[in-house]
mmCIF file of all heavy atoms in Angstrom:
data_model
loop_
_atom_site.group_PDB
_atom_site.id
_atom_site.type_symbol
_atom_site.label_atom_id
_atom_site.label_comp_id
_atom_site.label_asym_id
_atom_site.label_seq_id
_atom_site.Cartn_x
_atom_site.Cartn_y
_atom_site.Cartn_z
ATOM 1 N N PHE A 248 -7.124 11.336 0.205
ATOM 2 C CA PHE A 248 -7.358 11.044 -1.212
ATOM 3 C C PHE A 248 -7.515 9.547 -1.430
ATOM 4 O O PHE A 248 -6.751 8.751 -0.861
ATOM 5 C CB PHE A 248 -6.176 11.528 -2.063
ATOM 6 C CG PHE A 248 -5.951 13.010 -2.008
ATOM 7 C CD1 PHE A 248 -4.976 13.546 -1.178
ATOM 8 C CD2 PHE A 248 -6.725 13.879 -2.768
ATOM 9 C CE1 PHE A 248 -4.768 14.919 -1.114
ATOM 10 C CE2 PHE A 248 -6.525 15.252 -2.717
ATOM 11 C CZ PHE A 248 -5.547 15.771 -1.888
ATOM 12 N N ASN A 249 -8.437 9.186 -2.296
ATOM 13 C CA ASN A 249 -8.555 7.799 -2.750
ATOM 14 C C ASN A 249 -7.660 7.619 -3.970
ATOM 15 O O ASN A 249 -7.700 8.432 -4.894
ATOM 16 C CB ASN A 249 -10.006 7.486 -3.140
ATOM 17 C CG ASN A 249 -10.925 7.531 -1.940
ATOM 18 O OD1 ASN A 249 -10.487 7.756 -0.816
ATOM 19 N ND2 ASN A 249 -12.218 7.323 -2.178
ATOM 20 N N LEU A 250 -6.896 6.546 -3.976
ATOM 21 C CA LEU A 250 -5.952 6.334 -5.076
ATOM 22 C C LEU A 250 -6.218 5.016 -5.802
ATOM 23 O O LEU A 250 -6.001 3.925 -5.260
ATOM 24 C CB LEU A 250 -4.514 6.327 -4.546
ATOM 25 C CG LEU A 250 -4.013 7.619 -3.899
ATOM 26 C CD1 LEU A 250 -2.580 7.443 -3.420
ATOM 27 C CD2 LEU A 250 -4.122 8.812 -4.857
ATOM 28 N N GLY A 251 -6.707 5.163 -7.026
ATOM 29 C CA GLY A 251 -6.912 4.005 -7.895
ATOM 30 C C GLY A 251 -7.059 4.549 -9.299
ATOM 31 O O GLY A 251 -7.046 5.770 -9.508
ATOM 32 N N ASN A 252 -7.194 3.644 -10.274
ATOM 33 C CA ASN A 252 -7.295 4.102 -11.665
ATOM 34 C C ASN A 252 -8.728 4.329 -12.124
ATOM 35 O O ASN A 252 -8.958 4.794 -13.231
ATOM 36 C CB ASN A 252 -6.631 3.092 -12.589
ATOM 37 C CG ASN A 252 -5.127 3.127 -12.413
ATOM 38 O OD1 ASN A 252 -4.520 4.181 -12.529
ATOM 39 N ND2 ASN A 252 -4.545 1.986 -12.076
ATOM 40 N N GLY A 253 -9.674 3.909 -11.289
ATOM 41 C CA GLY A 253 -11.078 4.080 -11.663
ATOM 42 C C GLY A 253 -11.563 3.016 -12.615
ATOM 43 O O GLY A 253 -12.678 3.091 -13.125
ATOM 44 N N SER A 254 -10.718 2.008 -12.882
ATOM 45 C CA SER A 254 -11.221 0.903 -13.710
ATOM 46 C C SER A 254 -10.973 -0.408 -12.962
ATOM 47 O O SER A 254 -9.897 -0.615 -12.369
ATOM 48 C CB SER A 254 -10.548 0.870 -15.076
ATOM 49 O OG SER A 254 -9.195 1.163 -14.948
ATOM 50 N N GLY A 255 -11.982 -1.247 -13.012
ATOM 51 C CA GLY A 255 -11.900 -2.503 -12.269
ATOM 52 C C GLY A 255 -11.581 -3.675 -13.183
ATOM 53 O O GLY A 255 -12.009 -3.698 -14.339
ATOM 54 N N PHE A 256 -10.810 -4.622 -12.665
ATOM 55 C CA PHE A 256 -10.543 -5.860 -13.401
ATOM 56 C C PHE A 256 -10.899 -7.031 -12.504
ATOM 57 O O PHE A 256 -10.600 -7.030 -11.309
ATOM 58 C CB PHE A 256 -9.068 -5.939 -13.803
ATOM 59 C CG PHE A 256 -8.678 -4.883 -14.798
ATOM 60 C CD1 PHE A 256 -8.117 -3.692 -14.374
ATOM 61 C CD2 PHE A 256 -8.929 -5.066 -16.154
ATOM 62 C CE1 PHE A 256 -7.782 -2.704 -15.286
ATOM 63 C CE2 PHE A 256 -8.596 -4.079 -17.079
ATOM 64 C CZ PHE A 256 -8.019 -2.893 -16.642
ATOM 65 N N SER A 257 -11.521 -8.043 -13.117
ATOM 66 C CA SER A 257 -11.909 -9.210 -12.331
ATOM 67 C C SER A 257 -10.700 -10.126 -12.142
ATOM 68 O O SER A 257 -9.699 -10.018 -12.867
ATOM 69 C CB SER A 257 -13.024 -9.970 -13.041
ATOM 70 O OG SER A 257 -12.498 -10.617 -14.191
ATOM 71 N N VAL A 258 -10.820 -11.019 -11.174
ATOM 72 C CA VAL A 258 -9.752 -12.005 -10.946
ATOM 73 C C VAL A 258 -9.503 -12.776 -12.238
ATOM 74 O O VAL A 258 -8.347 -12.991 -12.641
ATOM 75 C CB VAL A 258 -10.151 -12.959 -9.793
ATOM 76 C CG1 VAL A 258 -9.160 -14.102 -9.661
ATOM 77 C CG2 VAL A 258 -10.269 -12.187 -8.472
ATOM 78 N N GLN A 259 -10.568 -13.147 -12.926
ATOM 79 C CA GLN A 259 -10.416 -13.881 -14.189
ATOM 80 C C GLN A 259 -9.687 -13.030 -15.229
ATOM 81 O O GLN A 259 -8.812 -13.540 -15.951
ATOM 82 C CB GLN A 259 -11.805 -14.291 -14.711
ATOM 83 C CG GLN A 259 -11.759 -15.278 -15.854
ATOM 84 C CD GLN A 259 -11.036 -16.581 -15.478
ATOM 85 O OE1 GLN A 259 -11.391 -17.221 -14.495
ATOM 86 N NE2 GLN A 259 -10.000 -16.940 -16.231
ATOM 87 N N GLN A 260 -9.999 -11.760 -15.304
ATOM 88 C CA GLN A 260 -9.304 -10.876 -16.267
ATOM 89 C C GLN A 260 -7.819 -10.741 -15.917
ATOM 90 O O GLN A 260 -6.974 -10.659 -16.811
ATOM 91 C CB GLN A 260 -9.956 -9.485 -16.276
ATOM 92 C CG GLN A 260 -11.287 -9.459 -17.009
ATOM 93 C CD GLN A 260 -11.945 -8.081 -16.889
ATOM 94 O OE1 GLN A 260 -12.074 -7.529 -15.799
ATOM 95 N NE2 GLN A 260 -12.364 -7.534 -18.022
ATOM 96 N N VAL A 261 -7.513 -10.720 -14.633
ATOM 97 C CA VAL A 261 -6.100 -10.643 -14.219
ATOM 98 C C VAL A 261 -5.366 -11.900 -14.690
ATOM 99 O O VAL A 261 -4.267 -11.827 -15.262
ATOM 100 C CB VAL A 261 -5.985 -10.478 -12.687
ATOM 101 C CG1 VAL A 261 -4.553 -10.701 -12.224
ATOM 102 C CG2 VAL A 261 -6.473 -9.096 -12.264
ATOM 103 N N ILE A 262 -5.998 -13.039 -14.509
ATOM 104 C CA ILE A 262 -5.355 -14.302 -14.916
ATOM 105 C C ILE A 262 -5.193 -14.338 -16.443
ATOM 106 O O ILE A 262 -4.122 -14.701 -16.962
ATOM 107 C CB ILE A 262 -6.181 -15.508 -14.406
ATOM 108 C CG1 ILE A 262 -6.159 -15.533 -12.875
ATOM 109 C CG2 ILE A 262 -5.649 -16.820 -14.987
ATOM 110 C CD1 ILE A 262 -7.161 -16.505 -12.255
ATOM 111 N N ASP A 263 -6.216 -13.933 -17.164
ATOM 112 C CA ASP A 263 -6.136 -13.941 -18.640
ATOM 113 C C ASP A 263 -5.042 -12.982 -19.125
ATOM 114 O O ASP A 263 -4.284 -13.310 -20.042
ATOM 115 C CB ASP A 263 -7.489 -13.528 -19.250
ATOM 116 C CG ASP A 263 -8.562 -14.583 -19.001
ATOM 117 O OD1 ASP A 263 -8.194 -15.741 -18.665
ATOM 118 O OD2 ASP A 263 -9.769 -14.254 -19.116
ATOM 119 N N THR A 264 -4.967 -11.813 -18.488
ATOM 120 C CA THR A 264 -3.928 -10.846 -18.880
ATOM 121 C C THR A 264 -2.548 -11.418 -18.580
ATOM 122 O O THR A 264 -1.610 -11.285 -19.379
ATOM 123 C CB THR A 264 -4.127 -9.506 -18.135
ATOM 124 O OG1 THR A 264 -5.463 -9.071 -18.341
ATOM 125 C CG2 THR A 264 -3.164 -8.447 -18.621
ATOM 126 N N ALA A 265 -2.425 -12.054 -17.423
ATOM 127 C CA ALA A 265 -1.122 -12.632 -17.052
ATOM 128 C C ALA A 265 -0.725 -13.746 -18.028
ATOM 129 O O ALA A 265 0.445 -13.894 -18.378
ATOM 130 C CB ALA A 265 -1.173 -13.159 -15.622
ATOM 131 N N ARG A 266 -1.688 -14.505 -18.517
ATOM 132 C CA ARG A 266 -1.383 -15.551 -19.511
ATOM 133 C C ARG A 266 -0.826 -14.910 -20.772
ATOM 134 O O ARG A 266 0.150 -15.384 -21.355
ATOM 135 C CB ARG A 266 -2.649 -16.336 -19.844
ATOM 136 C CG ARG A 266 -3.053 -17.313 -18.753
ATOM 137 C CD ARG A 266 -4.242 -18.156 -19.213
ATOM 138 N NE ARG A 266 -4.518 -19.203 -18.240
ATOM 139 C CZ ARG A 266 -5.722 -19.469 -17.739
ATOM 140 N NH1 ARG A 266 -6.787 -18.782 -18.124
ATOM 141 N NH2 ARG A 266 -5.866 -20.429 -16.864
ATOM 142 N N ARG A 267 -1.459 -13.818 -21.177
ATOM 143 C CA ARG A 267 -1.031 -13.142 -22.400
ATOM 144 C C ARG A 267 0.352 -12.511 -22.232
ATOM 145 O O ARG A 267 1.230 -12.675 -23.068
ATOM 146 C CB ARG A 267 -2.067 -12.063 -22.741
ATOM 147 C CG ARG A 267 -2.060 -11.671 -24.198
ATOM 148 C CD ARG A 267 -3.176 -10.716 -24.569
ATOM 149 N NE ARG A 267 -3.214 -9.517 -23.765
ATOM 150 C CZ ARG A 267 -4.181 -9.211 -22.908
ATOM 151 N NH1 ARG A 267 -5.220 -10.013 -22.752
ATOM 152 N NH2 ARG A 267 -4.146 -8.090 -22.217
ATOM 153 N N VAL A 268 0.547 -11.838 -21.108
ATOM 154 C CA VAL A 268 1.814 -11.121 -20.897
ATOM 155 C C VAL A 268 2.982 -12.096 -20.740
ATOM 156 O O VAL A 268 4.074 -11.864 -21.261
ATOM 157 C CB VAL A 268 1.703 -10.200 -19.656
ATOM 158 C CG1 VAL A 268 3.056 -9.678 -19.217
ATOM 159 C CG2 VAL A 268 0.752 -9.043 -19.944
ATOM 160 N N THR A 269 2.747 -13.180 -20.028
ATOM 161 C CA THR A 269 3.856 -14.106 -19.732
ATOM 162 C C THR A 269 4.013 -15.173 -20.813
ATOM 163 O O THR A 269 5.065 -15.792 -20.908
ATOM 164 C CB THR A 269 3.624 -14.837 -18.389
ATOM 165 O OG1 THR A 269 2.447 -15.663 -18.510
ATOM 166 C CG2 THR A 269 3.416 -13.846 -17.255
ATOM 167 N N GLY A 270 2.955 -15.418 -21.568
ATOM 168 C CA GLY A 270 2.998 -16.501 -22.549
ATOM 169 C C GLY A 270 3.034 -17.876 -21.883
ATOM 170 O O GLY A 270 3.423 -18.868 -22.503
ATOM 171 N N ARG A 271 2.688 -17.940 -20.626
ATOM 172 C CA ARG A 271 2.742 -19.216 -19.878
ATOM 173 C C ARG A 271 1.339 -19.758 -19.598
ATOM 174 O O ARG A 271 0.380 -19.005 -19.525
ATOM 175 C CB ARG A 271 3.448 -19.006 -18.529
ATOM 176 C CG ARG A 271 4.848 -18.456 -18.620
ATOM 177 C CD ARG A 271 5.835 -19.511 -19.068
ATOM 178 N NE ARG A 271 7.184 -18.951 -19.119
ATOM 179 C CZ ARG A 271 8.072 -19.037 -18.119
ATOM 180 N NH1 ARG A 271 7.751 -19.644 -16.992
ATOM 181 N NH2 ARG A 271 9.273 -18.518 -18.250
ATOM 182 N N GLU A 272 1.307 -21.043 -19.357
ATOM 183 C CA GLU A 272 0.110 -21.686 -18.813
ATOM 184 C C GLU A 272 -0.068 -21.209 -17.374
ATOM 185 O O GLU A 272 0.921 -21.104 -16.644
ATOM 186 C CB GLU A 272 0.335 -23.195 -18.736
ATOM 187 C CG GLU A 272 0.215 -23.916 -20.052
ATOM 188 C CD GLU A 272 -1.240 -23.981 -20.466
ATOM 189 O OE1 GLU A 272 -2.060 -24.412 -19.629
ATOM 190 O OE2 GLU A 272 -1.535 -23.564 -21.601
ATOM 191 N N ILE A 273 -1.274 -20.955 -16.963
ATOM 192 C CA ILE A 273 -1.486 -20.656 -15.542
ATOM 193 C C ILE A 273 -2.629 -21.537 -15.051
ATOM 194 O O ILE A 273 -3.806 -21.225 -15.272
ATOM 195 C CB ILE A 273 -1.789 -19.154 -15.305
ATOM 196 C CG1 ILE A 273 -0.630 -18.300 -15.847
ATOM 197 C CG2 ILE A 273 -2.032 -18.882 -13.821
ATOM 198 C CD1 ILE A 273 -0.812 -16.800 -15.681
ATOM 199 N N PRO A 274 -2.284 -22.650 -14.411
ATOM 200 C CA PRO A 274 -3.340 -23.547 -13.930
ATOM 201 C C PRO A 274 -4.196 -22.872 -12.859
ATOM 202 O O PRO A 274 -3.658 -22.161 -11.998
ATOM 203 C CB PRO A 274 -2.577 -24.732 -13.327
ATOM 204 C CG PRO A 274 -1.174 -24.614 -13.850
ATOM 205 C CD PRO A 274 -0.939 -23.154 -14.101
ATOM 206 N N VAL A 275 -5.491 -23.095 -12.951
ATOM 207 C CA VAL A 275 -6.431 -22.440 -12.033
ATOM 208 C C VAL A 275 -7.248 -23.485 -11.278
ATOM 209 O O VAL A 275 -7.660 -24.483 -11.864
ATOM 210 C CB VAL A 275 -7.400 -21.535 -12.828
ATOM 211 C CG1 VAL A 275 -8.501 -20.984 -11.936
ATOM 212 C CG2 VAL A 275 -6.647 -20.373 -13.476
ATOM 213 N N GLN A 276 -7.428 -23.245 -9.998
ATOM 214 C CA GLN A 276 -8.404 -24.026 -9.238
ATOM 215 C C GLN A 276 -9.421 -23.055 -8.666
ATOM 216 O O GLN A 276 -9.076 -21.915 -8.366
ATOM 217 C CB GLN A 276 -7.715 -24.779 -8.104
ATOM 218 C CG GLN A 276 -6.926 -25.972 -8.610
ATOM 219 C CD GLN A 276 -6.534 -26.926 -7.480
ATOM 220 O OE1 GLN A 276 -6.805 -26.676 -6.306
ATOM 221 N NE2 GLN A 276 -5.898 -28.026 -7.858
ATOM 222 N N TYR A 277 -10.635 -23.524 -8.514
ATOM 223 C CA TYR A 277 -11.676 -22.654 -7.971
ATOM 224 C C TYR A 277 -12.025 -23.102 -6.554
ATOM 225 O O TYR A 277 -12.101 -24.290 -6.270
ATOM 226 C CB TYR A 277 -12.904 -22.670 -8.877
ATOM 227 C CG TYR A 277 -12.609 -22.018 -10.216
ATOM 228 C CD1 TYR A 277 -12.198 -22.777 -11.311
ATOM 229 C CD2 TYR A 277 -12.686 -20.633 -10.362
ATOM 230 C CE1 TYR A 277 -11.886 -22.174 -12.522
ATOM 231 C CE2 TYR A 277 -12.381 -20.025 -11.562
ATOM 232 C CZ TYR A 277 -11.985 -20.793 -12.640
ATOM 233 O OH TYR A 277 -11.657 -20.198 -13.829
ATOM 234 N N ALA A 278 -12.194 -22.131 -5.686
ATOM 235 C CA ALA A 278 -12.536 -22.440 -4.296
ATOM 236 C C ALA A 278 -13.672 -21.529 -3.861
ATOM 237 O O ALA A 278 -14.121 -20.668 -4.620
ATOM 238 C CB ALA A 278 -11.315 -22.224 -3.413
ATOM 239 N N ASP A 279 -14.108 -21.732 -2.619
ATOM 240 C CA ASP A 279 -15.181 -20.887 -2.087
ATOM 241 C C ASP A 279 -14.702 -19.452 -1.946
ATOM 242 O O ASP A 279 -13.503 -19.175 -1.961
ATOM 243 C CB ASP A 279 -15.597 -21.389 -0.706
ATOM 244 C CG ASP A 279 -16.343 -22.710 -0.821
ATOM 245 O OD1 ASP A 279 -16.773 -23.045 -1.951
ATOM 246 O OD2 ASP A 279 -16.451 -23.402 0.202
ATOM 247 N N ARG A 280 -15.650 -18.567 -1.755
ATOM 248 C CA ARG A 280 -15.322 -17.166 -1.494
ATOM 249 C C ARG A 280 -14.421 -17.052 -0.266
ATOM 250 O O ARG A 280 -14.538 -17.857 0.658
ATOM 251 C CB ARG A 280 -16.603 -16.377 -1.200
ATOM 252 C CG ARG A 280 -17.522 -16.253 -2.387
ATOM 253 C CD ARG A 280 -18.752 -15.464 -1.969
ATOM 254 N NE ARG A 280 -19.665 -15.273 -3.087
ATOM 255 C CZ ARG A 280 -20.617 -14.342 -3.121
ATOM 256 N NH1 ARG A 280 -20.827 -13.551 -2.070
ATOM 257 N NH2 ARG A 280 -21.400 -14.209 -4.172
ATOM 258 N N ARG A 281 -13.558 -16.036 -0.274
ATOM 259 C CA ARG A 281 -12.756 -15.739 0.907
ATOM 260 C C ARG A 281 -13.585 -14.781 1.771
ATOM 261 O O ARG A 281 -14.142 -13.808 1.247
ATOM 262 C CB ARG A 281 -11.456 -15.069 0.462
ATOM 263 C CG ARG A 281 -10.408 -14.908 1.526
ATOM 264 C CD ARG A 281 -9.096 -14.408 0.934
ATOM 265 N NE ARG A 281 -9.200 -13.058 0.398
ATOM 266 C CZ ARG A 281 -8.172 -12.382 -0.119
ATOM 267 N NH1 ARG A 281 -6.978 -12.940 -0.179
ATOM 268 N NH2 ARG A 281 -8.332 -11.160 -0.579
ATOM 269 N N ALA A 282 -13.637 -15.059 3.065
ATOM 270 C CA ALA A 282 -14.487 -14.235 3.937
ATOM 271 C C ALA A 282 -14.074 -12.764 3.858
ATOM 272 O O ALA A 282 -12.885 -12.452 3.854
ATOM 273 C CB ALA A 282 -14.378 -14.730 5.380
ATOM 274 N N GLY A 283 -15.063 -11.893 3.791
ATOM 275 C CA GLY A 283 -14.778 -10.456 3.871
ATOM 276 C C GLY A 283 -14.435 -9.791 2.551
ATOM 277 O O GLY A 283 -14.128 -8.605 2.531
#
Side-chain angles (χ1 to χ4, degrees):
F248 298 99
N249 294 358
L250 297 180
N252 289 306
S254 40
F256 294 95
S257 71
V258 172
Q259 191 59 54
Q260 285 175 310
V261 168
I262 295 168
D263 292 343
T264 307
R266 285 186 173 131
R267 203 174 55 247
V268 167
T269 64
R271 302 285 181 95
E272 283 287 309
I273 302 180
V275 172
Q276 285 195 357
Y277 293 93
D279 289 344
R280 293 180 178 199
R281 190 172 66 177

